[in-house]
Amino acid sequence: LSIIHNKCCTFSKNTTKLTENITKLSQIGKVFTYLIKDIIIYTNELVKSFNKYLKEAFMRIFQKGFNYSQDGPGNRLVYHLSGCNMCCPWCSNPEGLTQSKSNTVLSVNDLVAEAEASRMIMIDGGGVTFTGGEVTLQKEAVLSAVKLLKEKGISTCIETNASLPQCEELFNEVDFMIADFKSPFKEK
């Protein structure tokens, strides 16, 4: 009987310890559950940020600066985009014929912020002009920038050789278009 009593006491103590351990594990489990929830939330935020970055458009620019009335009306912030589908011997911007590692890569959002910050000197109907190279080779980024600039009330202009089919979509969005038609012949 004494052996049974001792076994019962031991079982009772073990059951109490087991209950205590289960309680501790349950509390640890709750902590882990909260940690896992936080990790999932943080991971989802990272994925959203990364997806936003992936969806953001970027432009390759070889030069930028202000110009008064040469690239559209008023004082304009002019972005020279790199890359061209032609190789005219008389090109005024031969450094923009190809895209290179020396080009500045600028996000559309940064470009729009830069234009907004420069708004005070866009006098006499000025705004932003995209020229080249050939603007339409970067159509998606230009289209995105033009739409955002228009939302901000900033005048837009493109200067293009008008030889590519993607011009039409841009033409419908910009305030001004300068078309520099090229001769299909090698001679001037």
Side-chain angles (χ1 to χ4, degrees), residues 1-182:
L1 202 56
S2 166
I3 295 173
I4 294 174
H5 177 69
N6 288 341
K7 294 277 184 190
C8 286
C9 287
T10 303
F11 180 75
S12 176
K13 288 177 188 176
N14 288 340
T15 304
T16 304
K17 285 182 184 179
L18 181 63
T19 303
E20 288 173 5
N21 287 338
I22 290 172
T23 302
K24 287 178 186 176
L25 284 174
S26 174
Q27 291 169 348
I28 291 171
K30 287 178 185 177
V31 169
F32 277 123
T33 300
Y34 289 122
L35 285 174
I36 290 170
K37 285 180 182 178
D38 286 346
I39 290 169
I40 290 170
I41 290 168
Y42 181 70
T43 303
N44 286 337
E45 289 173 9
L46 282 175
V47 168
K48 285 177 189 175
S49 295
F50 187 67
N51 285 338
K52 181 181 174 189
Y53 176 79
L54 289 177
K55 291 177 185 175
E56 187 171 5
F58 292 86
M59 292 184 192
R60 286 194 168 280
I61 299 167
F62 69 89
Q63 184 179 347
K64 68 179 177 180
F66 273 89
N67 192 324
Y68 189 85
S69 77
Q70 181 178 344
D71 296 300
N75 200 29
R76 305 191 74 79
L77 179 53
V78 181
Y79 290 95
H80 293 264
L81 307 185
S82 59
C84 189
N85 61 317
M86 297 187 167
C87 193
C88 303
W90 59 85
C91 181
S92 60
N93 296 314
E95 67 276 26
L97 291 175
T98 59
Q99 293 187 352
S100 72
K101 291 181 181 180
S102 64
N103 296 149
T104 300
V105 177
L106 188 64
S107 76
V108 168
N109 289 332
D110 288 344
L111 183 143
V112 171
E114 186 174 59
E116 281 188 292
S118 302
R119 185 181 236 140
M120 293 296 290
I121 54 178
M122 294 178 184
I123 58 171
D124 297 336
V128 172
T129 296
F130 298 100
T131 187
E134 175 50 40
V135 173
T136 60
L137 290 176
Q138 298 187 48
K139 183 197 89 168
E140 293 303 322
V142 172
L143 189 59
S144 179
V146 164
K147 288 179 178 181
L148 287 172
L149 289 165
K150 286 179 79 172
E151 285 177 14
K152 306 287 184 186
I154 297 174
S155 167
T156 58
C157 177
I158 63 168
E159 186 172 0
T160 176
N161 63 37
S163 66
L164 297 172
Q166 56 262 43
C167 284
E168 187 175 347
E169 192 174 353
L170 283 168
F171 292 167
N172 294 324
E173 296 295 331
V174 296
D175 298 311
F176 300 97
M177 180 201 57
I178 301 168
D180 185 6
F181 297 105
K182 310 292 184 186

